[in-house]
Amino acid sequence: GESVGLHLPTLSVQEGDNSIINCAYSNSASDYFIWYKQESGKGPQFIIDIRSNMDKRQGQRVTVLLNKTVKHLSLQIAATQPGDSAVYFCAETGGGFKTIFGAGTRLFVKA
Amino acid sequence: GAVVSQHPSWVICKSGTSVKIECRSLDFQATTMFWYRQFPKQSLMLMATSNEGSKATYEQGVEKDKFLINHASLTLSTLTVTSAHPEDSSFYICSVSVVRERGTDTQYFGPGTRLTVL
């Protein structure tokens, strides 16, 4: 939903394990979704996107799943590495409205 | 995508002074850019939409006379924080809007500018 000033939820995973980061989006009219990665002190970086006519899209070590029925988006990271430690934001857009960013999830990768 | 730069990457200023932050789209002609601020451990807060050749559109609660935005060319938008105060200390991030195909408005972000007002 709308980004608000909330403290970020945290996910802690062991290096080498798979990570799953979830996002509930707010607008049923949204038809384009993006995942961003933000490392400390840097701007958000585009990871992967998906359109609403798809329910899965794969990239390098990352997979995005879209469930329009329950308005849910997830990012799966395979074989998580220390360099994956960051805050991950989902974003929704479409239907002529501005992009809405999720609150973000902080991923900690334990060595 | 689009490559976006910001300058400066960090700035410290005294209370009451004005600070200008530049956002450049290095490889894409951007008619639309966005300015965000981000407080520690929080999400992005949209401040305004910067439109090339026209006035910026500010979000509710953002003072347009305090945060001056100029988007004079397709590759440059500037944000000036006027009469800065300690509560304006934050991480300011710009983004460029890229529409590669209909219905895919993707934002590419700059590296951010850390502003500290003493």
Side-chain angles (χ1 to χ4, degrees), chain A residues 36-68:
Chain A
Y36 291 93
K37 172 187 180 183
Q38 185 179 25
E39 297 177 85
S40 181
K42 298 183 180 179
Q45 176 186 6
F46 175 94
I47 301 174
I48 191 168
D49 59 358
I50 188 169
R51 299 193 70 167
S52 61
N53 60 354
M54 303 172 69
D55 52 21
K56 179 179 180 179
R57 189 166 187 217
Q58 288 186 290
Q60 189 175 22
R61 278 202 311 119
V62 294
T63 301
V64 55
L65 299 177
L66 175 62
N67 185 331
K68 295 182 289 293

Side-chain angles (χ1 to χ4, degrees), chain B residues 8-38:
Chain B
S9 56
W10 61 269
V11 57
I12 301 173
C13 70
K14 292 182 179 180
S15 186
T17 60
S18 294
V19 174
K20 179 186 283 189
I21 303 170
E22 293 184 348
C23 177
R24 292 185 184 273
S25 177
L26 300 182
D27 60 352
F28 181 80
Q29 294 192 316
T31 55
T32 303
M33 293 183 177
F34 299 93
W35 284 98
Y36 294 83
R37 64 188 299 181
Q38 186 178 38

Side-chain angles (χ1 to χ4, degrees), chain A residues 1 4 7 9 24 30 36 52 60 64 69 71-72 80-81 88 90 93 97 104:
Chain A
V4 294
H7 291 289
S30 295
Y36 291 93
S52 61
Q60 189 175 22
V64 55
T69 302
K71 294 191 287 187
H72 185 267
T80 312
Q81 302 169 0
Y88 291 82
C90 65
T93 188
F97 61 87

Side-chain angles (χ1 to χ4, degrees), chain B residues 47-94:
Chain B
M47 299 175 66
T49 303
S50 173
N51 303 297
E52 188 267 336
S54 65
K55 292 183 179 180
T57 305
Y58 290 82
E59 294 300 298
Q60 191 174 9
V62 178
E63 299 175 59
K64 62 180 181 180
D65 294 330
K66 180 170 183 61
F67 298 99
L68 301 178
I69 292 173
N70 183 283
H71 192 156
S73 78
L74 290 172
T75 59
L76 174 65
S77 175
T78 61
L79 169 68
T80 301
V81 183
T82 62
S83 186
H85 288 94
E87 57 266 29
D88 298 323
S89 298
S90 189
F91 192 51
Y92 291 86
I93 313 172
C94 70

Side-chain angles (χ1 to χ4, degrees), chain B residues 81-115:
Chain B
V81 183
T82 62
S83 186
H85 288 94
E87 57 266 29
D88 298 323
S89 298
S90 189
F91 192 51
Y92 291 86
I93 313 172
C94 70
S95 71
V96 164
S97 174
V98 176
V99 180
R100 290 166 294 178
E101 57 183 271
R102 184 169 169 269
T104 61
D105 184 358
T106 307
Q107 292 185 37
Y108 293 90
F109 290 86
T113 297
R114 172 76 57 195
L115 170 63

